[in-house]
Amino acid sequence: MRRFLLSLTVTFALVTYAHEALAADPEPPTTYYWHNWTDHNGISHMTRCPFHNYILKTMSKPAGPQWQDRLKEEQAQVISTVQPAHWDGSWHPDPKVQWIIPLKGTWYVTAMDGTRVEMGPGDVSLGEDQMSRKDSKGHIGHFAGNVGDDAVTLMVIQTSETPTVDKPCRFN
C-alpha cells in the first residue's frame, strides 16, 4: 500500500507539473536560426528563419515536458572545433549540410550577396551553400572568420541531407 501511495503521489506531481507548464506556457515558442542557402544562380544568401513547430512533451520520463521542434531523424556527425584567434575561413562552401552552434566567442559569415551575420553563444546557423558557383570576383560559398582577439569554439553537426537550391528556411 505504501508503494502504491508513493507511486500515486509521484504520478500526481508529474501530471500537476505538466498541467502547470502548459498553463504557464500555453503558446509554443518561436526561436530562430540563420540559413546560408544558395539560389538558382549559384549565389549564397543568409536568411533568418524560424523554428516554430514546437510540441510540448517529455524527452525522457520522468523529466517534465519541454517544447521540442524535431527537424529530421537521420545520421549525423558531431564535431567540436576551436578556431584560433584571428581565424580566416576565406571563401569556401560548407563541406556538408551542417548545423553550426557557437559555444564560446563570436564568429561571422558573409554570404556572396554581401550579407554578413555575426553569431555568438545562443545563435544557430545552417550551412547549406554547397550548390554555390564562383561569381565574377571568384567568391564561392561564404567567407567566415572570428570577431575579436579570442579563439571561437563551435559545435558542428554535419548531416546526411542533400543540399537544396532556392529553399531558404526549409526547416520550418
Side-chain angles (χ1 to χ4, degrees):
M1 182 70 170
R2 198 175 194 175
R3 182 174 283 166
F4 172 76
L5 289 175
L6 178 60
S7 176
L8 188 59
T9 302
V10 169
T11 302
F12 177 75
L14 289 173
V15 169
T16 302
Y17 176 79
H19 178 70
E20 288 172 0
L22 281 170
D25 270 336
E27 295 295 318
T30 299
T31 58
Y32 297 90
Y33 68 97
W34 287 99
H35 188 186
N36 182 11
W37 60 280
T38 304
D39 67 22
H40 62 277
N41 292 318
I43 304 299
S44 65
H45 306 270
M46 293 292 288
T47 301
R48 188 170 184 243
C49 306
F51 288 122
H52 56 72
N53 294 320
Y54 285 96
I55 58 170
L56 188 63
K57 68 181 212 174
T58 185
M59 288 182 98
S60 178
K61 291 183 180 186
Q66 55 190 308
W67 291 106
Q68 300 174 42
D69 184 352
R70 293 186 177 250
L71 306 178
K72 191 166 184 181
E73 189 173 325
E74 63 178 293
Q75 294 284 10
Q77 179 174 356
V78 179
I79 303 166
S80 174
T81 180
V82 178
Q83 299 168 338
H86 308 287
W87 179 79
D88 174 351
S90 298
W91 285 98
H92 67 284
D94 288 297
K96 294 186 175 196
V97 177
Q98 59 189 16
W99 293 97
I100 306 158
I101 304 149
L103 302 176
K104 182 179 177 191
T106 303
W107 71 301
Y108 67 88
V109 173
T110 303
M112 294 169 68
D113 69 1
T115 304
R116 177 184 159 130
V117 176
E118 292 187 5
M119 292 168 270
D123 293 317
V124 177
S125 175
L126 175 62
E128 186 181 16
D129 60 0
Q130 294 82 6
M131 305 302 286
S132 60
R133 296 188 299 267
K134 282 189 180 178
D135 65 11
S136 61
K137 298 175 187 171
H139 300 163
I140 186 169
H142 64 280
F143 191 97
N146 293 355
V147 176
D149 295 326
D150 296 321
V152 173
T153 303
L154 304 171
M155 180 67 62
V156 180
I157 304 166
Q158 293 184 332
T159 73
S160 58
E161 286 285 324
T162 300
T164 61
V165 173
D166 285 331
K167 291 192 179 178
C169 303
R170 72 172 171 135
F171 289 108
N172 64 11

PDB file of all heavy atoms in Angstrom, residues 112-131:
ATOM      1  N   MET A 112      27.635  35.408 -50.380  1.00  0.00           N
ATOM      2  CA  MET A 112      28.036  36.006 -51.656  1.00  0.00           C
ATOM      3  C   MET A 112      27.225  37.247 -52.004  1.00  0.00           C
ATOM      4  O   MET A 112      27.709  38.113 -52.735  1.00  0.00           O
ATOM      5  CB  MET A 112      27.927  34.964 -52.774  1.00  0.00           C
ATOM      6  CG  MET A 112      28.916  33.820 -52.614  1.00  0.00           C
ATOM      7  SD  MET A 112      28.585  32.440 -53.739  1.00  0.00           S
ATOM      8  CE  MET A 112      28.987  33.183 -55.322  1.00  0.00           C
ATOM      9  N   ASP A 113      26.003  37.364 -51.468  1.00  0.00           N
ATOM     10  CA  ASP A 113      25.190  38.556 -51.735  1.00  0.00           C
ATOM     11  C   ASP A 113      25.619  39.749 -50.895  1.00  0.00           C
ATOM     12  O   ASP A 113      25.045  40.821 -50.974  1.00  0.00           O
ATOM     13  CB  ASP A 113      23.703  38.258 -51.540  1.00  0.00           C
ATOM     14  CG  ASP A 113      23.320  38.007 -50.080  1.00  0.00           C
ATOM     15  OD1 ASP A 113      24.184  38.066 -49.179  1.00  0.00           O
ATOM     16  OD2 ASP A 113      22.125  37.740 -49.836  1.00  0.00           O
ATOM     17  N   GLY A 114      26.650  39.560 -50.044  1.00  0.00           N
ATOM     18  CA  GLY A 114      27.178  40.641 -49.209  1.00  0.00           C
ATOM     19  C   GLY A 114      26.633  40.667 -47.792  1.00  0.00           C
ATOM     20  O   GLY A 114      27.115  41.436 -46.961  1.00  0.00           O
ATOM     21  N   THR A 115      25.633  39.854 -47.486  1.00  0.00           N
ATOM     22  CA  THR A 115      25.071  39.828 -46.137  1.00  0.00           C
ATOM     23  C   THR A 115      26.078  39.227 -45.169  1.00  0.00           C
ATOM     24  O   THR A 115      26.591  38.137 -45.402  1.00  0.00           O
ATOM     25  CB  THR A 115      23.768  39.002 -46.093  1.00  0.00           C
ATOM     26  OG1 THR A 115      22.848  39.528 -47.045  1.00  0.00           O
ATOM     27  CG2 THR A 115      23.148  39.032 -44.702  1.00  0.00           C
ATOM     28  N   ARG A 116      26.358  39.960 -44.102  1.00  0.00           N
ATOM     29  CA  ARG A 116      27.276  39.484 -43.063  1.00  0.00           C
ATOM     30  C   ARG A 116      26.496  39.349 -41.764  1.00  0.00           C
ATOM     31  O   ARG A 116      25.786  40.272 -41.358  1.00  0.00           O
ATOM     32  CB  ARG A 116      28.430  40.465 -42.871  1.00  0.00           C
ATOM     33  CG  ARG A 116      29.371  40.052 -41.734  1.00  0.00           C
ATOM     34  CD  ARG A 116      30.453  41.093 -41.514  1.00  0.00           C
ATOM     35  NE  ARG A 116      31.015  40.981 -40.193  1.00  0.00           N
ATOM     36  CZ  ARG A 116      32.304  40.923 -39.932  1.00  0.00           C
ATOM     37  NH1 ARG A 116      33.178  40.975 -40.916  1.00  0.00           N
ATOM     38  NH2 ARG A 116      32.738  40.835 -38.695  1.00  0.00           N
ATOM     39  N   VAL A 117      26.642  38.182 -41.116  1.00  0.00           N
ATOM     40  CA  VAL A 117      25.958  37.919 -39.860  1.00  0.00           C
ATOM     41  C   VAL A 117      26.997  37.506 -38.833  1.00  0.00           C
ATOM     42  O   VAL A 117      27.825  36.632 -39.097  1.00  0.00           O
ATOM     43  CB  VAL A 117      24.899  36.797 -40.013  1.00  0.00           C
ATOM     44  CG1 VAL A 117      24.267  36.470 -38.681  1.00  0.00           C
ATOM     45  CG2 VAL A 117      23.839  37.197 -41.036  1.00  0.00           C
ATOM     46  N   GLU A 118      26.973  38.178 -37.665  1.00  0.00           N
ATOM     47  CA  GLU A 118      27.834  37.783 -36.548  1.00  0.00           C
ATOM     48  C   GLU A 118      27.017  36.924 -35.598  1.00  0.00           C
ATOM     49  O   GLU A 118      25.863  37.247 -35.306  1.00  0.00           O
ATOM     50  CB  GLU A 118      28.380  39.017 -35.822  1.00  0.00           C
ATOM     51  CG  GLU A 118      29.352  39.797 -36.657  1.00  0.00           C
ATOM     52  CD  GLU A 118      30.026  40.932 -35.904  1.00  0.00           C
ATOM     53  OE1 GLU A 118      29.813  41.081 -34.675  1.00  0.00           O
ATOM     54  OE2 GLU A 118      30.782  41.684 -36.548  1.00  0.00           O
ATOM     55  N   MET A 119      27.628  35.833 -35.129  1.00  0.00           N
ATOM     56  CA  MET A 119      26.926  34.895 -34.255  1.00  0.00           C
ATOM     57  C   MET A 119      27.795  34.537 -33.063  1.00  0.00           C
ATOM     58  O   MET A 119      28.998  34.363 -33.196  1.00  0.00           O
ATOM     59  CB  MET A 119      26.575  33.634 -35.035  1.00  0.00           C
ATOM     60  CG  MET A 119      25.526  33.853 -36.106  1.00  0.00           C
ATOM     61  SD  MET A 119      25.364  32.457 -37.230  1.00  0.00           S
ATOM     62  CE  MET A 119      26.566  32.913 -38.477  1.00  0.00           C
ATOM     63  N   GLY A 120      27.145  34.416 -31.908  1.00  0.00           N
ATOM     64  CA  GLY A 120      27.812  34.017 -30.680  1.00  0.00           C
ATOM     65  C   GLY A 120      26.978  32.963 -29.968  1.00  0.00           C
ATOM     66  O   GLY A 120      26.005  32.451 -30.535  1.00  0.00           O
ATOM     67  N   PRO A 121      27.342  32.638 -28.733  1.00  0.00           N
ATOM     68  CA  PRO A 121      26.582  31.636 -27.989  1.00  0.00           C
ATOM     69  C   PRO A 121      25.087  31.970 -27.969  1.00  0.00           C
ATOM     70  O   PRO A 121      24.696  33.113 -27.750  1.00  0.00           O
ATOM     71  CB  PRO A 121      27.189  31.702 -26.589  1.00  0.00           C
ATOM     72  CG  PRO A 121      28.598  32.161 -26.836  1.00  0.00           C
ATOM     73  CD  PRO A 121      28.484  33.146 -27.974  1.00  0.00           C
ATOM     74  N   GLY A 122      24.287  30.967 -28.249  1.00  0.00           N
ATOM     75  CA  GLY A 122      22.842  31.153 -28.324  1.00  0.00           C
ATOM     76  C   GLY A 122      22.335  31.272 -29.750  1.00  0.00           C
ATOM     77  O   GLY A 122      21.140  31.179 -30.002  1.00  0.00           O
ATOM     78  N   ASP A 123      23.225  31.484 -30.704  1.00  0.00           N
ATOM     79  CA  ASP A 123      22.838  31.552 -32.110  1.00  0.00           C
ATOM     80  C   ASP A 123      23.030  30.187 -32.759  1.00  0.00           C
ATOM     81  O   ASP A 123      23.820  29.363 -32.296  1.00  0.00           O
ATOM     82  CB  ASP A 123      23.684  32.586 -32.857  1.00  0.00           C
ATOM     83  CG  ASP A 123      23.404  34.006 -32.402  1.00  0.00           C
ATOM     84  OD1 ASP A 123      22.224  34.341 -32.212  1.00  0.00           O
ATOM     85  OD2 ASP A 123      24.367  34.771 -32.234  1.00  0.00           O
ATOM     86  N   VAL A 124      22.323  29.974 -33.860  1.00  0.00           N
ATOM     87  CA  VAL A 124      22.410  28.718 -34.610  1.00  0.00           C
ATOM     88  C   VAL A 124      22.445  29.067 -36.088  1.00  0.00           C
ATOM     89  O   VAL A 124      21.748  29.980 -36.540  1.00  0.00           O
ATOM     90  CB  VAL A 124      21.196  27.811 -34.327  1.00  0.00           C
ATOM     91  CG1 VAL A 124      21.251  26.538 -35.161  1.00  0.00           C
ATOM     92  CG2 VAL A 124      21.102  27.460 -32.848  1.00  0.00           C
ATOM     93  N   SER A 125      23.263  28.333 -36.841  1.00  0.00           N
ATOM     94  CA  SER A 125      23.360  28.553 -38.279  1.00  0.00           C
ATOM     95  C   SER A 125      23.257  27.222 -39.010  1.00  0.00           C
ATOM     96  O   SER A 125      23.789  26.212 -38.546  1.00  0.00           O
ATOM     97  CB  SER A 125      24.713  29.207 -38.599  1.00  0.00           C
ATOM     98  OG  SER A 125      24.901  29.332 -39.993  1.00  0.00           O
ATOM     99  N   LEU A 126      22.566  27.228 -40.137  1.00  0.00           N
ATOM    100  CA  LEU A 126      22.502  26.062 -41.015  1.00  0.00           C
ATOM    101  C   LEU A 126      23.301  26.390 -42.263  1.00  0.00           C
ATOM    102  O   LEU A 126      22.928  27.268 -43.033  1.00  0.00           O
ATOM    103  CB  LEU A 126      21.052  25.720 -41.377  1.00  0.00           C
ATOM    104  CG  LEU A 126      20.869  24.593 -42.396  1.00  0.00           C
ATOM    105  CD1 LEU A 126      21.422  23.274 -41.859  1.00  0.00           C
ATOM    106  CD2 LEU A 126      19.402  24.448 -42.774  1.00  0.00           C
ATOM    107  N   GLY A 127      24.428  25.698 -42.468  1.00  0.00           N
ATOM    108  CA  GLY A 127      25.270  25.914 -43.641  1.00  0.00           C
ATOM    109  C   GLY A 127      24.851  24.989 -44.767  1.00  0.00           C
ATOM    110  O   GLY A 127      24.945  23.774 -44.641  1.00  0.00           O
ATOM    111  N   GLU A 128      24.354  25.587 -45.857  1.00  0.00           N
ATOM    112  CA  GLU A 128      23.878  24.786 -46.987  1.00  0.00           C
ATOM    113  C   GLU A 128      24.167  25.521 -48.295  1.00  0.00           C
ATOM    114  O   GLU A 128      23.288  25.752 -49.108  1.00  0.00           O
ATOM    115  CB  GLU A 128      22.371  24.520 -46.836  1.00  0.00           C
ATOM    116  CG  GLU A 128      21.834  23.579 -47.873  1.00  0.00           C
ATOM    117  CD  GLU A 128      20.345  23.331 -47.758  1.00  0.00           C
ATOM    118  OE1 GLU A 128      19.637  24.101 -47.081  1.00  0.00           O
ATOM    119  OE2 GLU A 128      19.889  22.362 -48.369  1.00  0.00           O
ATOM    120  N   ASP A 129      25.440  25.879 -48.499  1.00  0.00           N
ATOM    121  CA  ASP A 129      25.799  26.618 -49.711  1.00  0.00           C
ATOM    122  C   ASP A 129      26.650  25.781 -50.678  1.00  0.00           C
ATOM    123  O   ASP A 129      27.402  26.304 -51.483  1.00  0.00           O
ATOM    124  CB  ASP A 129      26.504  27.926 -49.351  1.00  0.00           C
ATOM    125  CG  ASP A 129      27.785  27.726 -48.559  1.00  0.00           C
ATOM    126  OD1 ASP A 129      28.170  26.567 -48.271  1.00  0.00           O
ATOM    127  OD2 ASP A 129      28.410  28.745 -48.204  1.00  0.00           O
ATOM    128  N   GLN A 130      26.482  24.459 -50.616  1.00  0.00           N
ATOM    129  CA  GLN A 130      27.277  23.556 -51.459  1.00  0.00           C
ATOM    130  C   GLN A 130      27.009  23.750 -52.947  1.00  0.00           C
ATOM    131  O   GLN A 130      27.870  23.441 -53.769  1.00  0.00           O
ATOM    132  CB  GLN A 130      26.995  22.078 -51.100  1.00  0.00           C
ATOM    133  CG  GLN A 130      27.444  21.676 -49.733  1.00  0.00           C
ATOM    134  CD  GLN A 130      26.446  22.069 -48.647  1.00  0.00           C
ATOM    135  OE1 GLN A 130      25.356  22.547 -48.907  1.00  0.00           O
ATOM    136  NE2 GLN A 130      26.837  21.876 -47.411  1.00  0.00           N
ATOM    137  N   MET A 131      25.849  24.254 -53.313  1.00  0.00           N
ATOM    138  CA  MET A 131      25.493  24.403 -54.721  1.00  0.00           C
ATOM    139  C   MET A 131      25.882  25.779 -55.274  1.00  0.00           C
ATOM    140  O   MET A 131      25.528  26.112 -56.404  1.00  0.00           O
ATOM    141  CB  MET A 131      23.986  24.176 -54.903  1.00  0.00           C
ATOM    142  CG  MET A 131      23.496  22.833 -54.342  1.00  0.00           C
ATOM    143  SD  MET A 131      24.322  21.398 -55.050  1.00  0.00           S
ATOM    144  CE  MET A 131      23.558  21.368 -56.643  1.00  0.00           C
TER     145      MET A 131
END
